[in-house]
Amino acid sequence: MPELPEVETTRAGLAPHLEGRRVTAAVLRRPDLRWPIPEAIEQVLPGQRIETVRRRAKYLLLDTAVGSALLHLGMSGSLRVLPADTPVRAHDHVDLALETGNGGVAQVLRFNDPRRFGCLLWQPSGETHTLLRGLGPEPLSEAFDGDHLFDLSRGRKAPVKTFLMDQAVVVGVGNIYAAEALFAARISPLRAAGKVSRERYAALADAVKAILGQAIVRGGTTLRDFISPDGAPGYFEQELSAYGRGGAPCPRCGRALKQASIGQRATVWCGHCQR
């Protein structure tokens, strides 16, 4: 599933092409993706100007004066701004037609999703969608630091990797980047969250910020189904230290990296360097 850097890369790629432009029509080629597409997408969104394109956790929001279109890429979704006459492919489920710009070329925002695990929903102005309620802070914000992790972790017996991936603790730290941050901070993913010290959580928070920031700059991590809005894959994968490298030499000590399943997710770590 595309993680936060992939979603942020998508947001940054789309924003210059969408912000300030009016949606003239919504074309739905099926009534649902993961969930039914609400009537507001066809009845309320057309005629509205997209004021901002922003991200909350792994969701993208197209903000207008009356509400926001809420999108999630799921496991295989992609969003492209294309000429309106671009032939429709299989799994091109939604087009949001955009007012003609200065170039005079009609364009659409096209949502392609082969597995249909993504979503297109509606958040009325002044409300917070159910999916966005109860979320923790953004990992690159000032609200996220070692003290935040330490305070929430007291008494927690769950593995620290599971704790770090809890969206109520901090949003957007998925399997890949949790593994990489724990490796960088030298913390075993198996250690109980409540047994990690404040100092080590400070190192972990710093690692999360550094690794996510680096991945965003590099366009995210290449996943099987993910490509960025310009069609180019991300390339952070070649720099991964732990994720997907079970049995390979540890970049620090050379010992074989261990691999196990934690919370039904593949987890790789160094039994020597991470404690």
Side-chain angles (χ1 to χ4, degrees), residues 210-231:
I211 289 169
L212 287 177
Q214 184 182 26
I216 289 170
V217 169
R218 284 159 173 74
T221 306
T222 300
L223 302 178
R224 180 178 60 188
D225 292 314
F226 178 78
I227 48 179
S228 59
D230 62 2

Side-chain angles (χ1 to χ4, degrees), residues 137-204:
E138 291 287 331
L140 299 179
S141 70
E142 293 183 0
F144 175 68
D145 57 17
D147 290 338
H148 171 77
L149 289 175
F150 180 79
D151 292 342
L152 288 185
S153 67
R154 295 308 86 191
R156 300 279 190 103
K157 297 180 181 179
V160 64
K161 181 168 182 277
T162 302
F163 171 72
L164 186 61
M165 292 175 62
D166 184 344
Q167 298 297 289
V169 173
V170 58
V171 300
V173 183
N175 198 31
I176 295 174
Y177 299 105
E180 292 299 297
L182 287 164
F183 180 84
R186 297 176 177 260
I187 298 172
S188 169
L190 305 179
R191 180 174 289 275
K195 298 296 184 180
V196 179
S197 69
R198 187 183 297 272
E199 292 73 21
R200 300 190 80 193
Y201 269 129
L204 180 57

Side-chain angles (χ1 to χ4, degrees), residues 10 14 60 71 73 77-81 109-112 228-229:
T10 299
L14 293 176
L60 289 172
L71 299 116
L73 297 177
S78 64
L79 291 164
R80 302 283 184 83
V81 176
L109 174 64
R110 182 162 292 173
F111 191 2
N112 179 283
S228 59

